[in-house]
Amino acid sequence: MAIVIVNLITSFMFPHEVYLSVLFAFSSNVIGLIAVMKNIKNKADIGLSLCFALFLCALLFVLVKAPLHIDPVSFYENFYYWLLIFIPGFICGTTIFIFLRYVIEQNHELAELAHIDPLMGLANRRFAFELINKNISYMNRKKRTYSVVMTDLDHVKSVNDTYGHPAGDSVIVKFAQVILNVVREYDVAFRYGGEEFLLFLPDTDISQAEEIANRIRRSLKAEPLVAEGKSFVVTASFGVASGNVNAAFTDVVSVADKALYQAKQDGRDKVVSFNDNEREQSENYAHAT
C-alpha cells in the first residue's frame, strides 16, 4: 500500500522536482518488484515481473542521464519528457493492479480456509452439505441420478495401538489424498465423522459409483504407509447407494451406510452396493486383487 501511495504522489509532483520524482518512483518500485518476485504463483506473475523490471531499467536510464540541476523547460523539450509521462503512470497502474490482485487472492484464501479442511484438503462438513443441497436441487429439476458412497477405514484402532495416534492421523490424511486423486472435480467428498468419509457423486449411476469406490480401494491398498520404520497396508470398506428425484438424500445416505455395514460384515476391504429403490444387495462385490 505504501508503494501505491508513493507512486501516486511522486507521479504528480511539480516539474522542478521531476528528478526526485523519478528517484522515488524507482526506489519504491524496486521494493515492489522484489515483493512480486517473492510471491510468483503463475506465468502471469512472471510476465508482470519482467515488464516491471523493463520499466525500472528505463527509469534507471533517466536517472543516469538526467542532470541533477536542469531547467524544467529544456528538460521537457527532450525525449525524457515522454519517459517521465508514461513510465511513472504505467508503474502506478501496475502497482495498483498488484495490490488489488493481492487483496483478491487473500480474500480467496480466506474463503478456502472457511470451506476446506486444511489438513486433508477436503470440503468441511458444513460446506459439503451446502454443495450437496444445491446439486440435489438441480438434479431433481433435471430428473437426474446421483450416487452416495460411504467409506470407512479398516482397523484404524489397531494402527493407533501399534504405532501411536500420529500414525493413525497420517492414515486418515493419506486416505483423504487418495480420495482427492480419484474423485472428479465436480464430486463432493468430505470427512463424515471419525474414520468415515462420504462421497456425493452427481450424474453417476450405481455401477459407475462402484467403479469409483473400487479405484479408491485399490489405490489405498497399493500404497503402504511407514511408521516407526515399519511398512503396513491400510484398507477401507465401501457402501454404495443411488438416489433419484423420488429419494430423500438422508435416506440414500442411510442405505449407503447399511451397505457399508454389510461390507464390514463380509470381511472388509470390499465394495457393497444397495439399490436405493429395491433395497436389495447387489451381487457385485469387489475383492482384493
Side-chain angles (χ1 to χ4, degrees):
M1 188 62 183
I3 297 174
V4 176
I5 295 174
V6 169
N7 280 326
L8 289 174
I9 292 174
T10 56
S11 294
F12 294 103
M13 295 182 75
F14 295 106
H16 63 278
E17 296 169 323
V18 70
Y19 188 84
L20 185 60
S21 173
V22 176
L23 179 62
F24 283 169
F26 178 82
S27 302
S28 61
N29 284 283
V30 165
I31 299 173
L33 176 60
I34 293 173
V36 173
M37 292 183 66
K38 286 186 175 182
N39 194 36
I40 290 178
K41 295 182 178 179
N42 50 47
K43 292 182 179 180
D45 289 337
I46 296 175
L48 187 60
S49 298
L50 293 175
C51 191
F52 214 0
L54 178 64
F55 277 86
L56 282 173
C57 290
L59 278 175
L60 180 62
F61 176 77
V62 174
L63 288 173
V64 173
K65 290 293 184 179
L68 290 174
H69 303 284
I70 192 166
D71 177 58
V73 175
S74 61
F75 188 86
Y76 283 123
E77 287 177 351
N78 60 43
F79 70 95
Y80 294 128
Y81 167 75
W82 299 105
L83 292 177
L84 295 173
I85 289 295
F86 289 111
I87 292 175
F90 172 83
I91 294 178
C92 285
T94 304
T95 308
I96 293 173
F97 169 77
I98 294 171
F99 175 74
L100 292 177
R101 187 176 63 83
Y102 173 78
V103 171
I104 292 171
E105 286 182 352
Q106 288 294 104
N107 289 337
H108 180 70
E109 290 177 3
L110 289 174
E112 281 194 347
L113 289 175
H115 296 154
I116 304 298
D117 186 317
L119 181 63
M120 295 179 290
L122 299 176
N124 60 39
R125 186 184 177 102
R126 185 187 66 174
F127 182 57
F129 275 109
E130 289 178 5
L131 293 176
I132 289 170
N133 289 332
K134 291 178 181 178
N135 272 283
I136 289 177
S137 297
Y138 173 78
M139 282 183 290
N140 284 345
R141 291 196 303 270
K142 300 296 183 179
K143 301 186 184 302
R144 294 180 179 177
T145 301
Y146 64 89
S147 292
V148 170
V149 177
M150 286 286 291
T151 177
D152 192 7
L153 287 162
D154 299 329
H155 306 300
V156 174
K157 185 178 185 303
S158 64
V159 174
N160 290 330
D161 295 340
T162 305
Y163 304 104
H165 287 282
D169 292 340
S170 68
V171 169
I172 295 175
V173 172
K174 179 64 177 179
F175 191 35
Q177 293 174 345
V178 170
I179 291 173
L180 278 175
N181 290 336
V182 173
V183 296
R184 302 156 300 187
E185 59 178 311
Y186 51 85
D187 296 330
V188 181
F190 66 101
R191 189 177 182 180
Y192 194 70
E195 293 84 43
E196 284 190 338
F197 290 79
L198 188 147
L199 283 63
F200 176 80
L201 311 174
D203 291 322
T204 306
D205 61 31
I206 199 162
S207 61
Q208 293 171 325
E210 287 174 355
E211 176 57 29
I212 291 173
N214 272 304
R215 286 173 58 194
I216 296 173
R217 182 184 64 82
R218 290 191 294 265
S219 297
L220 177 66
K221 194 172 182 179
E223 300 180 15
L225 285 86
V226 178
E228 297 183 356
K230 296 181 179 179
S231 176
F232 60 95
V233 174
V234 178
T235 62
S237 302
F238 298 79
V240 183
S242 63
N244 53 43
V245 68
N246 298 317
F249 176 68
T250 53
D251 292 338
V252 180
V253 172
S254 178
V255 174
D257 193 46
K258 292 176 183 178
L260 172 61
Y261 177 79
Q262 186 64 52
K264 289 182 174 292
Q265 290 294 104
D266 290 348
R268 303 175 187 270
D269 188 26
K270 300 179 185 298
V271 175
V272 172
S273 60
F274 281 1
N275 185 281
D276 184 51
N277 296 319
E278 300 176 2
R279 303 298 197 266
E280 292 179 352
Q281 182 175 346
S282 171
E283 294 297 326
N284 183 17
Y285 286 176
H287 295 272
T289 56

